[in-house]
Amino acid sequence: MVRGTRRGPPPAGRGDGHRSGPSLTVQWAVADRLPSQVKAMIPVVTESALTLDFLREDAFELETPFGWGVMLAGQERRAALLRQMLAARKTHRAQFTLPLNRADVAATGRRSPYIQDILVHSADAAHWADVDHRARVAGVTVPVSSVGGWYDLFLPGQLRDYRALRAAGREARLTVGPWTHVAPGVLSEAAAQTLGFGLAHARGEQPPVREPVRLYVMGEEAWRDVESWPPPGYDPRLFHLRPGGALSPDEPGESAPDGYRYDPADPTPAVGGVRFAGNAAGRKDNARLEARPDVLTYTAPALDADVEVIGEVSAEIWFRSSLPYADVFVRLCDVDPKGRSTNLCDGLISLTGADETSCAKVRLWPTAHRFKRGHRIRVQVSSGAFPRYARNPGTGEPRATATTLRAADQQVFHDPTHPSAVI
């Protein structure tokens, strides 16, 4: 494994702000110029374009980069970890600050260069060139074994890096478990890969034989070895939103749109999922979220046989807002026979020109899940998941300086001309 000191954003391998231990993202920073003594790489919950996916113009995530900025501001102080834990509520409240470019002071008492940067430099800005190492991935010359989690912050980028390695003909393995970013299982698997994969290569031996990709299939709660990502045999299948909160493989008939009101002053909250929030991340009961008037749900009948979803998930939602600026958030859930709705994966896209009916194409997180017989597939549609994603003020003002919040009336269409679906 490659170890190194830290520069810039905190490492992806640790979510607790410690300065000790391996800075796992540094592996990608030197991946194409490794010394001969390095025999393998084991990237753990990290990717080659660290932080950039959070800063996309069409899906700006607030909680993770803001939380990292707060960590950076206090990590050199005595008892930094304890201070961060005690200040967690203050950090959460600070994200409600308007304008957002004052939120760093509200959280830490001083300006944070990193937080100021994330608010004004989007993912494709030249400012971030030094933390974008995607071009180095294909140049790796040692075997790589990556460890990720279905609810980890960096999963899409980690899957992208794995595919790039395989496309370049490199020896690569991938293990994805049911983990969040700082779950104990991540550290256990990292140790197992270090001893089984890394140490074998360091000794000039071959690691234990297995398929290149090992996935934990949630719902089945079992590991599955497959030959590639995405695995073969899982063709796209559409489940259409239908009137009356129904969800079906059948295309919709004529129907009026559904509506809800989104108010950024009372934003739809983030519940579980991919979050930089410790125990608040991962699989959660969505009952209270789905009871809110600003969340629509569409649910299929109870399944008469198991259904597996393994691979990339997306949605096409025909949408219109009373304002030109709006977000569309989509979440896939498993509803058990007792009615408990548990989140699997989700995603958000920010729209301009949202006051005209258009198809919002939302990229959800990848997943591997088996819906058991008797369970139901559910899709949520709303306009936010705060503070994971920044609130859309509805005004089009720059996110750093916006001070006005405008409520919007949203419509979701499901008719033959506007066939909204999750894929």
Side-chain angles (χ1 to χ4, degrees):
M1 290 179 63
V2 179
R3 296 175 181 265
T5 57
R6 181 172 9 170
R7 293 184 58 203
R14 296 292 297 271
D16 55 13
H18 284 178
R19 286 176 290 158
S20 60
S23 178
L24 295 177
T25 189
V26 82
Q27 295 183 67
W28 291 120
V30 298
D32 58 348
R33 52 183 189 275
L34 295 172
S36 60
Q37 294 91 338
V38 176
K39 305 301 182 183
M41 281 177 50
I42 304 176
V44 180
V45 289
T46 188
E47 57 129 321
S48 61
L50 184 69
T51 78
L52 296 189
D53 204 45
F54 307 135
L55 309 181
R56 289 167 41 211
E57 198 65 44
D58 64 350
F60 178 74
E61 297 195 38
L62 177 63
E63 185 174 54
T64 296
F66 184 82
W68 279 7
V70 171
M71 281 185 4
L72 284 170
Q75 67 179 354
E76 304 299 330
R77 301 177 66 187
R78 187 183 300 274
L81 177 58
L82 178 60
R83 289 176 182 272
Q84 290 162 17
M85 295 172 61
L86 294 175
R89 288 187 178 182
K90 184 178 181 181
T91 300
H92 176 76
R93 290 194 301 269
Q95 293 171 99
F96 284 87
T97 302
L98 291 177
L100 267 176
N101 63 9
R102 297 180 184 174
D104 50 359
V105 176
T108 68
R110 54 180 172 165
R111 303 286 275 180
S112 160
Y114 177 67
I115 291 175
Q116 295 298 317
D117 284 344
I118 66 170
L119 293 175
V120 298
H121 298 294
S122 61
D124 56 358
H127 178 84
W128 302 113
D130 288 345
V131 297
D132 186 356
H133 304 296
R134 284 173 289 188
R136 303 185 190 280
V137 175
V140 176
T141 56
V142 300
V144 178
S145 182
S146 298
V147 178
W150 294 124
Y151 297 95
D152 176 51
L153 310 168
F154 300 103
L155 179 63
Q158 195 159 28
L159 296 176
R160 179 202 64 233
D161 291 341
Y162 172 77
R163 290 193 297 266
L165 288 167
R166 298 294 292 185
R170 309 306 183 193
E171 180 183 347
R173 289 184 176 182
L174 172 70
T175 304
V176 186
W179 306 311
T180 61
H181 185 62
V182 293
V186 170
L187 301 180
S188 297
E189 185 61 30
Q193 291 300 316
T194 300
L195 295 175
F197 183 88
L199 190 57
H201 281 293
R203 290 171 171 169
E205 303 168 355
Q206 288 299 310
V209 176
R210 53 161 262 199
E211 291 282 4
V213 179
R214 176 167 291 169
L215 308 174
Y216 188 88
V217 181
M218 299 178 292
E220 183 183 17
E221 309 305 324
W223 289 97
R224 182 92 53 86
D225 286 357
V226 295
E227 62 186 71
S228 64
W229 178 265
Y234 291 86
D235 296 326
R237 183 178 180 186
L238 275 66
F239 284 82
H240 291 277
L241 279 55
R242 295 175 65 87
L247 185 72
S248 171
D250 299 329
E251 294 188 5
E254 293 294 343
S255 60
D258 296 321
Y260 61 94
R261 186 170 179 81
Y262 173 73
D263 186 355
D266 177 26
T268 314
V271 175
V274 179
R275 298 186 61 192
F276 191 59
N279 291 334
R283 292 186 271 188
K284 300 295 179 183
D285 186 343
N286 277 232
R288 291 182 63 183
L289 176 63
E290 292 174 353
R292 287 179 60 100
D294 55 0
V295 178
L296 300 178
T297 61
Y298 300 86
T299 310
L303 296 168
D304 56 12
D306 292 359
V307 172
E308 282 192 349
V309 177
I310 301 181
E312 309 290 337
V313 182
S314 62
E316 296 179 352
I317 306 298
W318 286 89
F319 178 87
R320 184 170 66 209
S321 174
S322 60
L323 298 176
Y325 304 95
D327 292 346
V328 178
F329 178 80
V330 180
R331 167 169 278 187
L332 181 66
C333 294
D334 183 330
V335 182
D336 70 18
K338 295 183 179 180
R340 178 186 171 98
S341 177
T342 302
N343 54 291
L344 304 179
C345 59
D346 49 48
L348 176 143
I349 190 168
S350 296
L351 304 176
T352 58
D355 51 347
E356 299 288 339
T357 303
S358 62
C359 183
K361 297 184 178 182
V362 186
R363 183 191 75 176
L364 280 65
W365 230 242
T367 194
H369 183 81
R370 174 177 284 188
F371 292 90
K372 303 299 287 289
R373 183 171 64 89
H375 287 227
R376 291 175 291 162
I377 300 171
R378 175 170 290 171
V379 172
Q380 297 175 14
V381 180
S382 63
S383 286
F386 180 82
R388 178 185 169 188
Y389 293 97
R391 294 179 288 180
N392 192 321
T395 62
E397 297 176 271
R399 67 174 62 94
T401 56
T403 56
T404 302
L405 301 177
R406 295 182 63 189
D409 294 312
Q410 323 289 50
Q411 289 183 304
V412 173
F413 296 80
H414 38 63
D415 58 62
T417 307
H418 310 99
S420 295
V422 64
I423 306 167

PDB file of all heavy atoms in Angstrom, residues 320-352:
ATOM      1  N   ARG A 320     -42.405  19.956 -13.837  1.00  0.00           N
ATOM      2  CA  ARG A 320     -42.539  21.397 -14.065  1.00  0.00           C
ATOM      3  C   ARG A 320     -42.692  22.091 -12.714  1.00  0.00           C
ATOM      4  O   ARG A 320     -43.348  21.591 -11.805  1.00  0.00           O
ATOM      5  CB  ARG A 320     -43.748  21.714 -14.941  1.00  0.00           C
ATOM      6  CG  ARG A 320     -43.859  23.232 -15.279  1.00  0.00           C
ATOM      7  CD  ARG A 320     -44.912  23.493 -16.346  1.00  0.00           C
ATOM      8  NE  ARG A 320     -46.257  23.180 -15.876  1.00  0.00           N
ATOM      9  CZ  ARG A 320     -47.244  22.789 -16.673  1.00  0.00           C
ATOM     10  NH1 ARG A 320     -47.025  22.623 -17.983  1.00  0.00           N
ATOM     11  NH2 ARG A 320     -48.437  22.538 -16.189  1.00  0.00           N
ATOM     12  N   SER A 321     -42.071  23.269 -12.608  1.00  0.00           N
ATOM     13  CA  SER A 321     -42.124  24.071 -11.387  1.00  0.00           C
ATOM     14  C   SER A 321     -42.758  25.423 -11.688  1.00  0.00           C
ATOM     15  O   SER A 321     -42.777  25.877 -12.843  1.00  0.00           O
ATOM     16  CB  SER A 321     -40.710  24.273 -10.826  1.00  0.00           C
ATOM     17  OG  SER A 321     -40.712  25.149  -9.718  1.00  0.00           O
ATOM     18  N   SER A 322     -43.237  26.072 -10.656  1.00  0.00           N
ATOM     19  CA  SER A 322     -43.730  27.436 -10.807  1.00  0.00           C
ATOM     20  C   SER A 322     -42.585  28.430 -10.904  1.00  0.00           C
ATOM     21  O   SER A 322     -42.802  29.612 -11.202  1.00  0.00           O
ATOM     22  CB  SER A 322     -44.648  27.802  -9.638  1.00  0.00           C
ATOM     23  OG  SER A 322     -43.950  27.709  -8.399  1.00  0.00           O
ATOM     24  N   LEU A 323     -41.344  27.969 -10.657  1.00  0.00           N
ATOM     25  CA  LEU A 323     -40.154  28.818 -10.733  1.00  0.00           C
ATOM     26  C   LEU A 323     -39.177  28.249 -11.757  1.00  0.00           C
ATOM     27  O   LEU A 323     -39.161  27.040 -12.008  1.00  0.00           O
ATOM     28  CB  LEU A 323     -39.463  28.900  -9.369  1.00  0.00           C
ATOM     29  CG  LEU A 323     -40.266  29.525  -8.225  1.00  0.00           C
ATOM     30  CD1 LEU A 323     -39.463  29.434  -6.928  1.00  0.00           C
ATOM     31  CD2 LEU A 323     -40.616  30.973  -8.528  1.00  0.00           C
ATOM     32  N   PRO A 324     -38.328  29.078 -12.337  1.00  0.00           N
ATOM     33  CA  PRO A 324     -37.359  28.578 -13.323  1.00  0.00           C
ATOM     34  C   PRO A 324     -36.273  27.695 -12.719  1.00  0.00           C
ATOM     35  O   PRO A 324     -35.615  26.949 -13.436  1.00  0.00           O
ATOM     36  CB  PRO A 324     -36.749  29.858 -13.910  1.00  0.00           C
ATOM     37  CG  PRO A 324     -37.687  30.953 -13.547  1.00  0.00           C
ATOM     38  CD  PRO A 324     -38.310  30.554 -12.244  1.00  0.00           C
ATOM     39  N   TYR A 325     -36.050  27.796 -11.407  1.00  0.00           N
ATOM     40  CA  TYR A 325     -34.959  27.068 -10.765  1.00  0.00           C
ATOM     41  C   TYR A 325     -35.542  26.101  -9.748  1.00  0.00           C
ATOM     42  O   TYR A 325     -36.251  26.509  -8.816  1.00  0.00           O
ATOM     43  CB  TYR A 325     -33.991  28.041 -10.085  1.00  0.00           C
ATOM     44  CG  TYR A 325     -33.437  29.073 -11.038  1.00  0.00           C
ATOM     45  CD1 TYR A 325     -34.037  30.329 -11.143  1.00  0.00           C
ATOM     46  CD2 TYR A 325     -32.351  28.788 -11.855  1.00  0.00           C
ATOM     47  CE1 TYR A 325     -33.554  31.272 -12.039  1.00  0.00           C
ATOM     48  CE2 TYR A 325     -31.862  29.720 -12.749  1.00  0.00           C
ATOM     49  CZ  TYR A 325     -32.461  30.961 -12.839  1.00  0.00           C
ATOM     50  OH  TYR A 325     -31.987  31.887 -13.730  1.00  0.00           O
ATOM     51  N   ALA A 326     -35.230  24.830  -9.902  1.00  0.00           N
ATOM     52  CA  ALA A 326     -35.790  23.807  -9.023  1.00  0.00           C
ATOM     53  C   ALA A 326     -34.916  22.565  -9.053  1.00  0.00           C
ATOM     54  O   ALA A 326     -34.143  22.345 -10.000  1.00  0.00           O
ATOM     55  CB  ALA A 326     -37.225  23.460  -9.432  1.00  0.00           C
ATOM     56  N   ASP A 327     -35.040  21.734  -8.019  1.00  0.00           N
ATOM     57  CA  ASP A 327     -34.340  20.460  -7.938  1.00  0.00           C
ATOM     58  C   ASP A 327     -35.340  19.314  -8.009  1.00  0.00           C
ATOM     59  O   ASP A 327     -36.486  19.446  -7.573  1.00  0.00           O
ATOM     60  CB  ASP A 327     -33.562  20.342  -6.623  1.00  0.00           C
ATOM     61  CG  ASP A 327     -32.388  21.301  -6.543  1.00  0.00           C
ATOM     62  OD1 ASP A 327     -32.011  21.876  -7.586  1.00  0.00           O
ATOM     63  OD2 ASP A 327     -31.855  21.474  -5.432  1.00  0.00           O
ATOM     64  N   VAL A 328     -34.870  18.186  -8.518  1.00  0.00           N
ATOM     65  CA  VAL A 328     -35.644  16.945  -8.504  1.00  0.00           C
ATOM     66  C   VAL A 328     -34.793  15.883  -7.808  1.00  0.00           C
ATOM     67  O   VAL A 328     -33.681  15.580  -8.257  1.00  0.00           O
ATOM     68  CB  VAL A 328     -36.015  16.481  -9.922  1.00  0.00           C
ATOM     69  CG1 VAL A 328     -36.773  15.145  -9.862  1.00  0.00           C
ATOM     70  CG2 VAL A 328     -36.861  17.538 -10.629  1.00  0.00           C
ATOM     71  N   PHE A 329     -35.320  15.353  -6.719  1.00  0.00           N
ATOM     72  CA  PHE A 329     -34.656  14.301  -5.950  1.00  0.00           C
ATOM     73  C   PHE A 329     -35.476  13.025  -6.087  1.00  0.00           C
ATOM     74  O   PHE A 329     -36.700  13.041  -5.931  1.00  0.00           O
ATOM     75  CB  PHE A 329     -34.561  14.707  -4.478  1.00  0.00           C
ATOM     76  CG  PHE A 329     -33.937  13.667  -3.580  1.00  0.00           C
ATOM     77  CD1 PHE A 329     -32.567  13.515  -3.511  1.00  0.00           C
ATOM     78  CD2 PHE A 329     -34.732  12.834  -2.794  1.00  0.00           C
ATOM     79  CE1 PHE A 329     -31.989  12.565  -2.675  1.00  0.00           C
ATOM     80  CE2 PHE A 329     -34.176  11.881  -1.960  1.00  0.00           C
ATOM     81  CZ  PHE A 329     -32.793  11.745  -1.897  1.00  0.00           C
ATOM     82  N   VAL A 330     -34.802  11.912  -6.403  1.00  0.00           N
ATOM     83  CA  VAL A 330     -35.474  10.628  -6.593  1.00  0.00           C
ATOM     84  C   VAL A 330     -34.790   9.588  -5.715  1.00  0.00           C
ATOM     85  O   VAL A 330     -33.551   9.523  -5.670  1.00  0.00           O
ATOM     86  CB  VAL A 330     -35.432  10.184  -8.065  1.00  0.00           C
ATOM     87  CG1 VAL A 330     -36.143   8.833  -8.235  1.00  0.00           C
ATOM     88  CG2 VAL A 330     -36.069  11.233  -8.967  1.00  0.00           C
ATOM     89  N   ARG A 331     -35.592   8.774  -5.048  1.00  0.00           N
ATOM     90  CA  ARG A 331     -35.053   7.739  -4.158  1.00  0.00           C
ATOM     91  C   ARG A 331     -35.774   6.418  -4.417  1.00  0.00           C
ATOM     92  O   ARG A 331     -36.998   6.390  -4.579  1.00  0.00           O
ATOM     93  CB  ARG A 331     -35.212   8.164  -2.705  1.00  0.00           C
ATOM     94  CG  ARG A 331     -34.976   7.069  -1.686  1.00  0.00           C
ATOM     95  CD  ARG A 331     -34.883   7.614  -0.265  1.00  0.00           C
ATOM     96  NE  ARG A 331     -33.539   8.133  -0.002  1.00  0.00           N
ATOM     97  CZ  ARG A 331     -33.131   8.549   1.207  1.00  0.00           C
ATOM     98  NH1 ARG A 331     -33.972   8.544   2.234  1.00  0.00           N
ATOM     99  NH2 ARG A 331     -31.903   8.987   1.375  1.00  0.00           N
ATOM    100  N   LEU A 332     -35.012   5.332  -4.446  1.00  0.00           N
ATOM    101  CA  LEU A 332     -35.547   3.983  -4.574  1.00  0.00           C
ATOM    102  C   LEU A 332     -35.566   3.328  -3.202  1.00  0.00           C
ATOM    103  O   LEU A 332     -34.557   3.364  -2.480  1.00  0.00           O
ATOM    104  CB  LEU A 332     -34.680   3.172  -5.535  1.00  0.00           C
ATOM    105  CG  LEU A 332     -35.095   1.725  -5.810  1.00  0.00           C
ATOM    106  CD1 LEU A 332     -36.436   1.671  -6.541  1.00  0.00           C
ATOM    107  CD2 LEU A 332     -34.007   1.012  -6.629  1.00  0.00           C
ATOM    108  N   CYS A 333     -36.726   2.715  -2.842  1.00  0.00           N
ATOM    109  CA  CYS A 333     -36.891   2.108  -1.523  1.00  0.00           C
ATOM    110  C   CYS A 333     -37.450   0.695  -1.638  1.00  0.00           C
ATOM    111  O   CYS A 333     -38.100   0.337  -2.626  1.00  0.00           O
ATOM    112  CB  CYS A 333     -37.842   2.937  -0.658  1.00  0.00           C
ATOM    113  SG  CYS A 333     -37.229   4.574  -0.220  1.00  0.00           S
ATOM    114  N   ASP A 334     -37.205  -0.099  -0.592  1.00  0.00           N
ATOM    115  CA  ASP A 334     -37.779  -1.431  -0.432  1.00  0.00           C
ATOM    116  C   ASP A 334     -38.778  -1.353   0.719  1.00  0.00           C
ATOM    117  O   ASP A 334     -38.423  -0.971   1.833  1.00  0.00           O
ATOM    118  CB  ASP A 334     -36.662  -2.431  -0.116  1.00  0.00           C
ATOM    119  CG  ASP A 334     -37.163  -3.868   0.001  1.00  0.00           C
ATOM    120  OD1 ASP A 334     -38.324  -4.081   0.402  1.00  0.00           O
ATOM    121  OD2 ASP A 334     -36.374  -4.784  -0.276  1.00  0.00           O
ATOM    122  N   VAL A 335     -40.031  -1.737   0.433  1.00  0.00           N
ATOM    123  CA  VAL A 335     -41.081  -1.723   1.459  1.00  0.00           C
ATOM    124  C   VAL A 335     -41.358  -3.174   1.859  1.00  0.00           C
ATOM    125  O   VAL A 335     -41.765  -3.995   1.023  1.00  0.00           O
ATOM    126  CB  VAL A 335     -42.367  -1.061   0.935  1.00  0.00           C
ATOM    127  CG1 VAL A 335     -43.423  -1.002   2.032  1.00  0.00           C
ATOM    128  CG2 VAL A 335     -42.065   0.346   0.410  1.00  0.00           C
ATOM    129  N   ASP A 336     -41.130  -3.502   3.128  1.00  0.00           N
ATOM    130  CA  ASP A 336     -41.319  -4.879   3.569  1.00  0.00           C
ATOM    131  C   ASP A 336     -42.792  -5.161   3.867  1.00  0.00           C
ATOM    132  O   ASP A 336     -43.631  -4.247   3.817  1.00  0.00           O
ATOM    133  CB  ASP A 336     -40.411  -5.187   4.766  1.00  0.00           C
ATOM    134  CG  ASP A 336     -40.813  -4.466   6.049  1.00  0.00           C
ATOM    135  OD1 ASP A 336     -41.969  -3.984   6.155  1.00  0.00           O
ATOM    136  OD2 ASP A 336     -39.982  -4.397   6.973  1.00  0.00           O
ATOM    137  N   PRO A 337     -43.163  -6.420   4.139  1.00  0.00           N
ATOM    138  CA  PRO A 337     -44.570  -6.757   4.367  1.00  0.00           C
ATOM    139  C   PRO A 337     -45.208  -6.010   5.526  1.00  0.00           C
ATOM    140  O   PRO A 337     -46.441  -5.905   5.586  1.00  0.00           O
ATOM    141  CB  PRO A 337     -44.520  -8.268   4.624  1.00  0.00           C
ATOM    142  CG  PRO A 337     -43.329  -8.746   3.860  1.00  0.00           C
ATOM    143  CD  PRO A 337     -42.322  -7.638   4.017  1.00  0.00           C
ATOM    144  N   LYS A 338     -44.415  -5.480   6.458  1.00  0.00           N
ATOM    145  CA  LYS A 338     -44.962  -4.708   7.571  1.00  0.00           C
ATOM    146  C   LYS A 338     -45.108  -3.227   7.233  1.00  0.00           C
ATOM    147  O   LYS A 338     -45.566  -2.443   8.071  1.00  0.00           O
ATOM    148  CB  LYS A 338     -44.067  -4.872   8.798  1.00  0.00           C
ATOM    149  CG  LYS A 338     -44.040  -6.292   9.351  1.00  0.00           C
ATOM    150  CD  LYS A 338     -43.191  -6.365  10.604  1.00  0.00           C
ATOM    151  CE  LYS A 338     -43.192  -7.780  11.179  1.00  0.00           C
ATOM    152  NZ  LYS A 338     -42.358  -7.880  12.406  1.00  0.00           N
ATOM    153  N   GLY A 339     -44.718  -2.842   6.014  1.00  0.00           N
ATOM    154  CA  GLY A 339     -44.865  -1.456   5.581  1.00  0.00           C
ATOM    155  C   GLY A 339     -43.673  -0.575   5.838  1.00  0.00           C
ATOM    156  O   GLY A 339     -43.725   0.626   5.560  1.00  0.00           O
ATOM    157  N   ARG A 340     -42.573  -1.119   6.349  1.00  0.00           N
ATOM    158  CA  ARG A 340     -41.369  -0.321   6.590  1.00  0.00           C
ATOM    159  C   ARG A 340     -40.676  -0.049   5.267  1.00  0.00           C
ATOM    160  O   ARG A 340     -40.333  -0.969   4.521  1.00  0.00           O
ATOM    161  CB  ARG A 340     -40.430  -1.042   7.544  1.00  0.00           C
ATOM    162  CG  ARG A 340     -39.119  -0.292   7.823  1.00  0.00           C
ATOM    163  CD  ARG A 340     -38.182  -1.152   8.654  1.00  0.00           C
ATOM    164  NE  ARG A 340     -36.859  -0.563   8.768  1.00  0.00           N
ATOM    165  CZ  ARG A 340     -36.428   0.152   9.796  1.00  0.00           C
ATOM    166  NH1 ARG A 340     -37.254   0.374  10.816  1.00  0.00           N
ATOM    167  NH2 ARG A 340     -35.213   0.648   9.828  1.00  0.00           N
ATOM    168  N   SER A 341     -40.437   1.216   4.971  1.00  0.00           N
ATOM    169  CA  SER A 341     -39.788   1.647   3.739  1.00  0.00           C
ATOM    170  C   SER A 341     -38.327   1.977   4.030  1.00  0.00           C
ATOM    171  O   SER A 341     -38.033   2.865   4.829  1.00  0.00           O
ATOM    172  CB  SER A 341     -40.511   2.874   3.171  1.00  0.00           C
ATOM    173  OG  SER A 341     -39.867   3.348   2.006  1.00  0.00           O
ATOM    174  N   THR A 342     -37.423   1.271   3.359  1.00  0.00           N
ATOM    175  CA  THR A 342     -35.984   1.433   3.590  1.00  0.00           C
ATOM    176  C   THR A 342     -35.316   1.916   2.320  1.00  0.00           C
ATOM    177  O   THR A 342     -35.512   1.335   1.243  1.00  0.00           O
ATOM    178  CB  THR A 342     -35.354   0.102   4.032  1.00  0.00           C
ATOM    179  OG1 THR A 342     -36.011  -0.363   5.209  1.00  0.00           O
ATOM    180  CG2 THR A 342     -33.869   0.272   4.317  1.00  0.00           C
ATOM    181  N   ASN A 343     -34.507   2.960   2.427  1.00  0.00           N
ATOM    182  CA  ASN A 343     -33.852   3.556   1.263  1.00  0.00           C
ATOM    183  C   ASN A 343     -32.706   2.697   0.756  1.00  0.00           C
ATOM    184  O   ASN A 343     -31.925   2.151   1.527  1.00  0.00           O
ATOM    185  CB  ASN A 343     -33.328   4.956   1.610  1.00  0.00           C
ATOM    186  CG  ASN A 343     -32.424   4.956   2.832  1.00  0.00           C
ATOM    187  OD1 ASN A 343     -32.895   4.729   3.952  1.00  0.00           O
ATOM    188  ND2 ASN A 343     -31.141   5.208   2.636  1.00  0.00           N
ATOM    189  N   LEU A 344     -32.623   2.600  -0.577  1.00  0.00           N
ATOM    190  CA  LEU A 344     -31.551   1.861  -1.238  1.00  0.00           C
ATOM    191  C   LEU A 344     -30.566   2.786  -1.923  1.00  0.00           C
ATOM    192  O   LEU A 344     -29.358   2.679  -1.739  1.00  0.00           O
ATOM    193  CB  LEU A 344     -32.136   0.890  -2.264  1.00  0.00           C
ATOM    194  CG  LEU A 344     -33.153  -0.113  -1.742  1.00  0.00           C
ATOM    195  CD1 LEU A 344     -33.657  -0.977  -2.886  1.00  0.00           C
ATOM    196  CD2 LEU A 344     -32.551  -0.961  -0.641  1.00  0.00           C
ATOM    197  N   CYS A 345     -31.051   3.668  -2.773  1.00  0.00           N
ATOM    198  CA  CYS A 345     -30.175   4.578  -3.506  1.00  0.00           C
ATOM    199  C   CYS A 345     -30.991   5.782  -3.945  1.00  0.00           C
ATOM    200  O   CYS A 345     -32.223   5.737  -3.981  1.00  0.00           O
ATOM    201  CB  CYS A 345     -29.524   3.901  -4.703  1.00  0.00           C
ATOM    202  SG  CYS A 345     -30.682   3.235  -5.916  1.00  0.00           S
ATOM    203  N   ASP A 346     -30.315   6.863  -4.266  1.00  0.00           N
ATOM    204  CA  ASP A 346     -31.017   8.095  -4.636  1.00  0.00           C
ATOM    205  C   ASP A 346     -30.091   9.022  -5.392  1.00  0.00           C
ATOM    206  O   ASP A 346     -28.902   8.750  -5.556  1.00  0.00           O
ATOM    207  CB  ASP A 346     -31.588   8.795  -3.388  1.00  0.00           C
ATOM    208  CG  ASP A 346     -30.555   8.941  -2.270  1.00  0.00           C
ATOM    209  OD1 ASP A 346     -29.432   9.395  -2.557  1.00  0.00           O
ATOM    210  OD2 ASP A 346     -30.866   8.594  -1.121  1.00  0.00           O
ATOM    211  N   GLY A 347     -30.645  10.134  -5.863  1.00  0.00           N
ATOM    212  CA  GLY A 347     -29.866  11.131  -6.578  1.00  0.00           C
ATOM    213  C   GLY A 347     -30.680  12.388  -6.797  1.00  0.00           C
ATOM    214  O   GLY A 347     -31.908  12.385  -6.630  1.00  0.00           O
ATOM    215  N   LEU A 348     -30.002  13.467  -7.171  1.00  0.00           N
ATOM    216  CA  LEU A 348     -30.647  14.766  -7.361  1.00  0.00           C
ATOM    217  C   LEU A 348     -30.072  15.442  -8.585  1.00  0.00           C
ATOM    218  O   LEU A 348     -28.887  15.273  -8.912  1.00  0.00           O
ATOM    219  CB  LEU A 348     -30.442  15.634  -6.114  1.00  0.00           C
ATOM    220  CG  LEU A 348     -30.967  17.069  -6.141  1.00  0.00           C
ATOM    221  CD1 LEU A 348     -31.523  17.470  -4.765  1.00  0.00           C
ATOM    222  CD2 LEU A 348     -29.880  18.059  -6.563  1.00  0.00           C
ATOM    223  N   ILE A 349     -30.923  16.239  -9.242  1.00  0.00           N
ATOM    224  CA  ILE A 349     -30.449  17.105 -10.320  1.00  0.00           C
ATOM    225  C   ILE A 349     -31.086  18.476 -10.167  1.00  0.00           C
ATOM    226  O   ILE A 349     -32.255  18.592  -9.789  1.00  0.00           O
ATOM    227  CB  ILE A 349     -30.758  16.507 -11.708  1.00  0.00           C
ATOM    228  CG1 ILE A 349     -30.043  17.308 -12.802  1.00  0.00           C
ATOM    229  CG2 ILE A 349     -32.262  16.444 -11.967  1.00  0.00           C
ATOM    230  CD1 ILE A 349     -30.054  16.630 -14.151  1.00  0.00           C
ATOM    231  N   SER A 350     -30.293  19.516 -10.409  1.00  0.00           N
ATOM    232  CA  SER A 350     -30.771  20.895 -10.386  1.00  0.00           C
ATOM    233  C   SER A 350     -31.108  21.329 -11.804  1.00  0.00           C
ATOM    234  O   SER A 350     -30.321  21.112 -12.735  1.00  0.00           O
ATOM    235  CB  SER A 350     -29.707  21.827  -9.802  1.00  0.00           C
ATOM    236  OG  SER A 350     -29.440  21.506  -8.452  1.00  0.00           O
ATOM    237  N   LEU A 351     -32.280  21.944 -11.954  1.00  0.00           N
ATOM    238  CA  LEU A 351     -32.774  22.334 -13.272  1.00  0.00           C
ATOM    239  C   LEU A 351     -32.799  23.850 -13.423  1.00  0.00           C
ATOM    240  O   LEU A 351     -33.060  24.575 -12.458  1.00  0.00           O
ATOM    241  CB  LEU A 351     -34.191  21.803 -13.475  1.00  0.00           C
ATOM    242  CG  LEU A 351     -34.410  20.292 -13.324  1.00  0.00           C
ATOM    243  CD1 LEU A 351     -35.891  19.966 -13.453  1.00  0.00           C
ATOM    244  CD2 LEU A 351     -33.594  19.517 -14.344  1.00  0.00           C
ATOM    245  N   THR A 352     -32.531  24.314 -14.620  1.00  0.00           N
ATOM    246  CA  THR A 352     -32.849  25.676 -15.019  1.00  0.00           C
ATOM    247  C   THR A 352     -33.919  25.579 -16.097  1.00  0.00           C
ATOM    248  O   THR A 352     -34.006  24.575 -16.802  1.00  0.00           O
ATOM    249  CB  THR A 352     -31.610  26.410 -15.544  1.00  0.00           C
ATOM    250  OG1 THR A 352     -31.064  25.675 -16.646  1.00  0.00           O
ATOM    251  CG2 THR A 352     -30.547  26.527 -14.451  1.00  0.00           C
TER     252      THR A 352
END
